[in-house]
Amino acid sequence: MTDYLRIRQILDNAVNGETFAAHGPFWRRMSRDQFVNASVFGRRLIAQRADGTFDPDESNLVKALEGRPPFGDDLTPPPAGAFWPRMPVGYPPVPAREIKEIRDWISAGCPETQPDASGWIDANGGGPQADPTIHNNFFRDFDNWAMFHATPDTQANINSFFAVADRYFELALGRTPEANWVNAISVPDVTRAVEALELQQRNTAIQHYGTPVPLLTLLDGFMRFGDNTLPDDPQRPLDVRHNMNGRTMWFFWAAFADACDRLSATTQIPADFWHGMSRGILIGLISDGLIRGRFTVNGFAATPAGQQAALQHVRQLAAQDLRNELTTRLVDSGIF
């Protein structure tokens, strides 16, 4: 399920989104075809066999990340034939599971986009997690690529979407016609930004929750993110608690889910995945309003039992009703 955007995300995460000397973050300016055919310091990144298939074992990208010759002269002991350090220099090694993603991507022919998939969401899969580490891992990675270590491209895409999100708010409040919002997200630059950001979110979800994403596990994570009951994250010591900081951000996320749903008709964005994410956003914001009390939520008691009733409501909503439910919650919130 890995694609080129995910490969770029792995490499960006490996260097914390930073810029550095020597060859620098070359992948940020390359298309998929340029990347597959690229050489760095005279060595091909991706090895190709005589029959045209790609070979992960002989690809210098993989050798560099694994510390295999000619890389790894900084390891103890260094492998025979190594004269360059393991990559990335000055950063922790790339996790083995992410190197495997790169290997699998190369073996699959280095696809630019993910293959068509049906059933991105398992509506009855998963459930509440006794160990919520999986949720912390999801939200930590999400925050890293979207905020703490956002690349210039990612930040530009976020800015493009935020620049039109007010059209969604105006639509929800009944102040402008639906066409204003549809036209705003149909501008090519905005559509491309939404496509790139949704793919990053989808990749993050399937990386941590699997494919298809078990909906009940996803909802458990969003509910805890909303009511601030996730445990402290020792891997993020400067900001240990994963929760929604700014209360309005729930409704920017709702606007994004709405845009993905609408654009799914004309792009490769999978509607069913975003129906699942819409349910997650809904139970997250409802839990925030009920339990943290940061805005108004109508229809449910501000108790654990009320929260469970809201969870069942969110699960049972028909897909075609999700848009209206999100805009109703925006109006009820009293924020706008």
Side-chain angles (χ1 to χ4, degrees), residues 4-310:
Y4 179 50
L5 182 61
R6 172 60 182 158
I7 299 305
R8 291 176 60 178
Q9 180 186 356
I10 291 172
L11 297 178
D12 270 324
N13 289 345
V15 298
N16 294 331
E18 297 170 358
T19 300
F20 49 92
H23 55 66
F26 53 84
W27 56 88
R28 292 179 192 163
R29 59 180 182 270
M30 289 182 173
S31 67
R32 175 269 180 197
D33 291 346
Q34 289 171 328
F35 185 86
V36 167
N37 292 292
S39 295
V40 177
F41 295 149
R43 292 183 176 271
R44 284 286 299 268
L45 283 176
I46 310 297
Q48 193 165 9
R49 303 183 182 96
D51 63 1
T53 60
F54 296 107
D55 185 347
D57 287 329
E58 291 303 315
S59 292
N60 282 294
L61 175 62
V62 175
K63 291 180 179 179
L65 298 177
E66 292 180 340
R68 290 191 288 118
F71 303 91
D73 73 345
D74 56 340
L75 301 181
T76 304
F83 51 85
W84 280 331
R86 182 179 187 174
M87 302 294 169
V89 179
Y91 298 91
V94 173
R97 60 182 170 79
E98 295 187 354
I99 295 177
K100 183 179 184 302
E101 284 189 72
I102 294 173
R103 281 179 158 276
D104 290 346
W105 177 71
I106 294 171
S107 295
C110 305
E112 181 165 8
T113 58
Q114 292 178 347
D116 291 339
S118 59
W120 285 97
I121 299 290
D122 178 356
N124 298 305
Q129 299 294 292
D131 179 5
T133 300
I134 188 174
H135 302 319
N136 275 352
N137 292 342
F138 167 75
F139 285 110
R140 185 192 322 111
D141 280 0
F142 193 115
D143 283 348
N144 280 342
W145 67 254
M147 183 168 54
F148 296 121
H149 306 304
T151 67
D153 284 348
T154 295
Q155 190 59 62
N157 289 332
I158 292 172
N159 291 343
S160 292
F161 178 74
F162 272 50
V164 303
D166 62 323
R167 314 285 179 85
Y168 174 80
F169 305 146
E170 294 295 309
L171 168 63
L173 295 167
R175 296 172 182 169
T176 59
E178 185 176 28
N180 284 11
W181 169 236
V182 174
N183 291 340
I185 62 176
S186 298
V187 172
D189 285 349
V190 177
T191 299
R192 283 192 291 270
V194 171
E195 288 181 291
L197 292 171
E198 88 80 17
L199 185 55
Q200 287 179 288
Q201 292 185 54
R202 187 158 33 106
N203 277 336
T204 306
I206 64 177
Q207 177 186 351
H208 293 288
Y209 295 120
T211 309
V213 175
L215 179 63
L216 303 188
T217 301
L218 186 75
L219 296 183
D220 180 61
F222 271 84
M223 187 164 65
R224 297 188 194 197
F225 184 72
D227 67 16
N228 193 29
T229 58
L230 286 170
D232 289 352
D233 183 353
Q235 295 190 45
R236 202 170 73 171
L238 298 181
D239 187 10
V240 296
R241 185 59 67 91
H242 295 286
N243 56 32
M244 185 62 84
N245 291 328
R247 58 183 186 162
T248 60
M249 291 305 297
W250 283 117
F251 302 102
F252 278 96
W253 211 349
F256 188 84
D258 184 286
C260 289
D261 187 25
R262 294 176 189 272
L263 291 172
S264 67
T266 56
T267 67
Q268 294 185 351
I269 295 174
D272 69 319
F273 176 81
W274 281 96
H275 294 158
M277 286 292 283
S278 293
R279 296 181 199 277
I281 294 164
L282 273 169
I283 192 56
L285 71 86
I286 290 173
S287 296
D288 191 327
L290 290 180
I291 307 303
R292 298 179 73 186
R294 298 199 298 165
F295 48 83
T296 299
V297 170
N298 292 327
F300 304 100
T303 63
Q307 191 180 23
Q308 287 301 312

